[in-house]
Amino acid sequence: RLLDDAALDAIRNRAAHQHPTTIAARYRESAANQDVRAIRLWDDPMVGLGFMAARRPQMRREEGDFQIGVEIPIPKPGLYEANLLKTGALRRAESEKIRAAMIESGIEATMLAIELALADEIVRLSSGELAWLSEMETNAGQMALFPGSTGIDSIRLASEKVKLEQDVAASRRTRDGLARRLNVVMGKTISETWPTYRLPASAPPVPLAAAEVARIPFANPRVRAMRE
């Protein structure tokens, strides 16, 4: 399957919405929204009830046996406004952290998908070389049957074939590890399989670095969250 822009966009979008970091950021934003609604101008009043036991009846008649107290905190408009501003800034910061988590998880998934396509290319080339080497070994074995042949080429090719088989097996294990990491990033089951990918013949154009770097102080969600 061709790993073009459309395939990468699908992988990036899936990871941006299913990565555990993004899901955790959404929960934190929901908690920040609840904090905003919990800010009140008037605090709850407090009522107290007490009992006094005096030694003599005369003291009980003068001071009373029961005491009732009511406390109502006076609202502080300045503090209330400050709490609203604080919780609002924290809520906006959590929203920016969601954007940051989505971008970072999308980047991670994209890089893993490209590495997976590169690993598929390595496996494909190594497997082709292994098939060619096997044919060479067969030809060398047939040549070794002729009188006067030492069979050195056959032994050398057999040794190279064994080494290449180990390299191909290692490349396949690397590919399996990349596929498992990609499944984790995208919120899939770790054992889910991926198709064999191939990269486009030509690379996409690279954006101007200066223009992209200039946007960081204003558009990067990490910077915006820290500013809040």
Side-chain angles (χ1 to χ4, degrees):
R1 184 178 300 178
L2 180 63
L3 191 64
D4 54 2
D5 290 340
L8 287 176
D9 286 341
I11 292 174
R12 187 184 301 110
N13 291 333
R14 170 69 184 266
H17 291 87
Q18 299 297 327
H19 195 279
T21 305
T22 304
I23 297 175
R26 289 199 185 98
Y27 284 131
R28 287 193 296 268
E29 185 193 30
S30 178
N33 290 330
Q34 297 296 332
D35 289 340
V36 173
R37 287 191 285 269
I39 300 298
R40 294 180 299 173
L41 179 62
W42 288 85
D43 293 331
D44 292 332
M46 292 180 291
V47 179
L49 176 64
F51 175 77
M52 178 181 293
R55 293 181 179 180
R56 292 179 295 176
Q58 181 66 27
M59 295 176 62
R60 289 199 293 270
R61 285 195 298 269
E62 294 176 354
E63 300 180 4
D65 293 334
F66 295 94
Q67 291 181 346
I68 298 176
V70 179
E71 180 181 350
I72 301 178
I74 299 175
K76 301 177 182 179
L79 181 60
Y80 172 74
E81 296 294 336
N83 287 332
L84 280 180
L85 293 175
K86 176 184 177 181
T87 53
L90 291 175
R91 179 182 59 82
R92 291 191 298 272
E94 294 299 335
S95 298
E96 294 296 338
K97 289 180 181 178
I98 292 179
R99 291 183 56 233
M102 294 178 66
I103 292 173
E104 291 171 1
S105 59
I107 291 174
E108 184 179 0
T110 301
M111 294 178 64
L112 287 173
I114 294 174
E115 290 185 19
L116 188 68
L118 291 172
D120 287 336
E121 187 72 8
I122 292 174
V123 171
R124 185 183 68 83
L125 293 174
S126 299
S127 300
E129 185 179 359
L130 183 61
W132 173 79
L133 197 60
S134 298
E135 294 181 0
M136 294 291 293
E137 182 191 15
T138 301
N139 294 333
Q142 294 176 354
M143 294 293 295
L145 299 177
F146 288 96
S149 176
T150 60
I152 295 179
D153 291 338
S154 178
I155 297 174
R156 178 178 59 82
L157 290 173
S159 177
E160 292 181 3
K161 179 184 176 183
V162 171
K163 181 179 181 300
L164 188 56
E165 287 175 344
Q166 295 175 351
D167 293 341
V168 172
S171 298
R172 293 185 185 278
R173 288 192 296 270
T174 300
R175 199 263 183 195
D176 293 339
L178 291 171
R180 292 189 180 95
R181 289 173 56 191
L182 187 56
N183 285 332
V184 172
V185 171
M186 298 186 65
K188 296 184 176 183
T189 57
I190 194 171
S191 60
E192 188 167 344
T193 59
W194 286 86
T196 302
Y197 282 113
R198 61 183 177 88
L199 294 174
S202 59
V206 179
L208 296 178
E212 295 299 317
V213 171
R215 297 178 61 252
I216 291 178
F218 309 100
N220 185 274
R222 291 290 183 189
V223 178
R224 292 168 63 94
M226 293 177 67
R227 185 173 289 116
E228 294 290 352

